[in-house]
Amino acid sequence: MLQRTLSIVKPDGVSKGLIGEVIRRFEREGLRVVALKMVHLDKEEAKGFYAVHRGKPFFESLTDFMSSGPVVVMVLEGEDAIERTRKIMGATDPRKADPGTLRREFASNIEQNVVHGSDAPETAASEIAYFFNALEIHSH
Ligand code: GDP
């Protein structure tokens, strides 16, 4: 099924110089970048993005981290884009991520894990709409 998903190069990925590496791996697997921009979320915007995690013990720390520097947000398009993106990323905890995945190779810890990818069609739709309007997304 042709899908779209939202991915983010998180502040640690940007500061480690991994923007190109992340995009290269997605493109290498045939995913297409159909929207892309750099933004610096403020604390409230980070809370809004991760609202599903409100109340969890790591919520404050996570939203501090996500608002600590610029991020690169992108929409990826392709067959089964959601699952394929998550496979390239690897498990949330880099110690549990498969060898060769972005998080295994580059993440510092379970929080500072370089990259985000939507986990289901419904979250992909709402996450894409959080950052992009229809005129900013270009299928090609
Ligand atoms: P994801 O879909 O793999 O990104 O994982 P989740 O949706 O479960 O969590 C969202 C983000 O919160 C993760 O990517 C991490 O940055 C962070 N996170 C998840 N679990 C933990 C945790 O146990 N501790 C901390 N400090 N951060 C976490």
Side-chain angles (χ1 to χ4, degrees):
M1 193 201 337
L2 189 67
Q3 289 180 329
R4 286 178 176 171
T5 189
L6 184 90
S7 181
I8 305 178
V9 184
K10 295 185 180 184
D12 60 327
V14 172
S15 68
K16 286 176 174 170
L18 293 171
I19 298 169
E21 180 70 18
V22 171
I23 294 174
R24 187 181 73 87
R25 289 186 184 215
F26 292 146
E27 290 190 324
R28 190 175 66 186
E29 295 301 320
L31 293 161
R32 284 173 177 267
V33 179
V34 296
L36 179 74
K37 65 183 163 191
M38 179 175 271
V39 296
H40 189 153
L41 298 173
D42 66 23
K43 176 81 171 169
E44 287 310 309
E45 290 163 342
K47 283 183 172 176
F49 180 73
Y50 275 124
V52 55
H53 292 302
R54 198 177 285 273
K56 298 213 177 124
F58 57 85
F59 184 67
E60 279 305 316
S61 173
L62 172 62
T63 50
D64 279 347
F65 163 57
M66 287 300 290
S67 57
S68 67
V71 298
V72 171
V73 290
M74 70 192 90
V75 179
L76 300 170
E77 187 176 82
E79 286 294 314
D80 300 320
I82 295 169
E83 190 189 329
R84 284 166 63 208
T85 297
R86 289 188 66 88
K87 200 162 174 218
I88 295 164
M89 288 162 42
T92 311
D93 183 346
R95 292 170 302 182
K96 297 182 183 151
D98 288 339
T101 60
L102 282 164
R103 284 167 164 175
R104 174 70 170 262
E105 288 193 24
F106 300 114
S108 305
N109 53 55
I110 194 170
E111 182 174 281
Q112 303 199 9
N113 59 5
V114 176
V115 65
H116 167 85
S118 310
D119 64 1
E122 305 71 40
T123 43
S126 64
E127 290 177 2
I128 290 168
Y130 198 72
F131 288 106
F132 296 98
N133 67 45
L135 293 176
E136 295 172 314
I137 303 173
H138 308 278
S139 291
H140 54 91

